Amino acid sequence: MNEGSEGERGTTERVLTLLGLLQQRQVWTGPELAGRLGVTPRTVRRDVDRLRALGYPVHASQGVGGGYQLGRGQDLPPLLLDDEEAIVTAVSLLLGAGGALTGAGDAALRALTKLDRVLPVRLRQQVQTLTGAIDSFDGGRTPIDPDVLMTLARACRDHLEAAFEYPSSSATGPRRVEPYRLVASDRRWYLLAYDLDRADWRTFRVDRMSAVASRTWRFRPRPAPDPAPYVQEAVTTRAYPEQAGFLIHAPADTVRAQVPPSAASVHPRDRDTCELRSGAANLDAVLMHVAMLGHDFEVLYPPELTARCESLAATLRSAGRGSGSPSASDLPESN
């Protein structure tokens, strides 16, 4: 490497070190930074200008208490992490992706796949050790192996085929897929993938997979359905032998707040109505849940569910008359 390249590398390393220092505490004086970097205050000023050119908002103020301060910009620039910070961040993201942090799954997994690109091999074992030593009593999302989640996330990111064992109605067998996207519900993680043996898109529950491995074959991504709506329809409707649709006379946001996304999908019709779609082995259960939402509704399909509504209404009216209930005079007096 020539002398010019050595000088450029030294400057780059020094500027990155300066950025790390500015991220560690709120204010540094010029002499303090010069002493930490082993350069003159004039060099510090030039390096600060280099950071500004890269988009980092470094502010400078004069007088007592003044100095250099890393401000907040319009865009999020890269952060520099030391070994301890990287380990703690990776462990926190793994817990969030695995469901220990409520509602953080999707964002945690996206951030984790970015960190995975740059995390040194020497730190991976420490991350795995710490993750294995932490548990949660939160009973929300079904727990899964973080290594499985990361294997699938890498395969989605790098367009690599994946293989795993998966149970069906008859037996557990091998599946070969082109993984497209991991999707989190309020309870579980799902993989949207193109099943190579069945030549169609499929949704897989990650907690049901075993022997998960990323293959060496890369694939060209094919046109895919919108991941979140496709998976939600698959797990709330298409997975069941019976499907039902209802027109709810209430805003979609109101109904979504009452119905878990893993139980039904809600689609707005207009400002005051929405369509609820769900499936079940027994549609009476779906009908009861819809009735208990407390809104006026109409059955859209199947037609036979209308007759079930009338039968249920008759049963409730009969129960409401209370013909077999004791009157108030028949009840024992309380002391």
Side-chain angles (χ1 to χ4, degrees):
M1 184 178 294
N2 58 43
E3 184 177 347
S5 298
E6 289 284 0
E8 291 176 2
R9 187 179 69 176
T11 300
T12 300
E13 292 176 351
R14 188 179 66 247
V15 171
L16 290 175
T17 302
L18 172 61
L19 176 59
L21 291 172
L22 291 171
Q23 290 176 346
Q24 286 181 12
R25 83 184 199 198
Q26 188 170 7
V27 179
W28 292 83
T29 66
E32 285 177 327
L33 290 173
R36 294 291 294 267
L37 298 172
V39 296
T40 65
R42 182 180 178 182
T43 300
V44 171
R45 290 193 294 271
R46 288 201 299 264
D47 288 346
V48 166
D49 289 338
R50 292 186 176 98
L51 286 176
R52 289 168 175 161
L54 292 172
Y56 292 92
V58 182
H59 306 307
S61 57
Q62 303 293 329
V64 178
Y68 294 102
Q69 181 178 13
L70 188 62
R72 299 181 183 275
Q74 293 183 342
D75 299 319
L76 180 65
L79 299 174
L80 291 181
L81 303 176
D82 60 28
D83 286 3
E84 291 184 358
E85 293 167 340
I87 291 171
V88 171
T89 300
V91 171
S92 299
L93 290 172
L94 280 167
L95 291 175
L101 302 180
T102 304
D106 284 326
L109 188 59
R110 290 197 306 271
L112 188 58
T113 55
K114 294 177 182 178
L115 184 60
D116 177 67
R117 286 184 179 272
V118 297
L119 192 65
V121 176
R122 58 187 168 81
L123 300 183
R124 293 181 185 274
Q125 184 60 45
Q126 297 183 55
V127 171
Q128 292 174 353
T129 300
L130 277 176
T131 304
I134 299 174
D135 208 341
S136 170
F137 57 81
D138 181 12
R141 186 172 298 161
T142 302
I144 58 176
D145 186 345
D147 288 338
V148 169
L149 200 63
M150 278 307 302
T151 297
L152 294 173
R154 293 188 194 105
C156 292
R157 180 193 68 194
D158 299 332
H159 306 311
L160 291 172
E161 289 185 13
F164 48 86
E165 297 286 323
Y166 199 77
S168 64
S169 56
S170 56
T172 298
R175 308 296 282 266
R176 295 185 309 115
V177 303
E178 294 175 356
Y180 179 67
R181 190 70 57 81
L182 282 161
V183 178
S185 76
D186 55 330
R187 297 175 57 194
R188 299 184 178 94
W189 278 99
Y190 298 90
L191 174 69
L192 173 62
Y194 189 83
D195 193 311
L196 294 170
D197 296 321
R198 290 156 181 79
D200 199 3
W201 292 96
R202 291 289 190 270
T203 298
F204 301 95
R205 272 179 51 176
V206 175
D207 60 293
R208 289 181 174 175
M209 297 178 180
S210 59
V212 179
S214 178
R215 296 161 62 88
T216 58
W217 287 279
R218 292 186 179 273
F219 62 89
R220 183 187 299 273
R222 63 185 78 222
D226 192 4
Y230 184 90
V231 171
Q232 186 182 25
E233 288 285 345
V235 301
T236 61
T237 306
R238 294 193 300 270
Y240 294 95
E242 302 283 351
Q243 291 88 41
F246 303 87
L247 179 65
I248 312 294
H249 292 268
D253 290 342
T254 300
V255 178
R256 286 195 185 104
Q258 295 176 284
V259 180
S262 57
S265 60
V266 179
H267 309 268
R269 285 284 190 93
D270 54 39
R271 188 176 63 180
D272 299 317
T273 63
C274 60
E275 180 179 345
L276 183 147
R277 305 171 190 165
S278 187
N282 185 339
L283 289 182
D284 283 354
V286 178
L287 181 58
M288 286 296 298
H289 282 295
V290 172
M292 292 177 66
L293 294 178
H295 310 296
D296 291 338
F297 67 93
E298 304 168 34
V299 174
L300 298 177
Y301 59 87
E304 58 268 24
L305 198 55
T306 302
R308 294 298 304 154
C309 285
E310 296 173 354
S311 175
L312 177 62
T315 301
L316 292 175
R317 281 195 297 268
S318 176
R321 287 194 293 267
S323 57
S325 301
S327 63
S329 59
D330 295 330
L331 295 176
E333 295 184 1
S334 59
N335 294 327

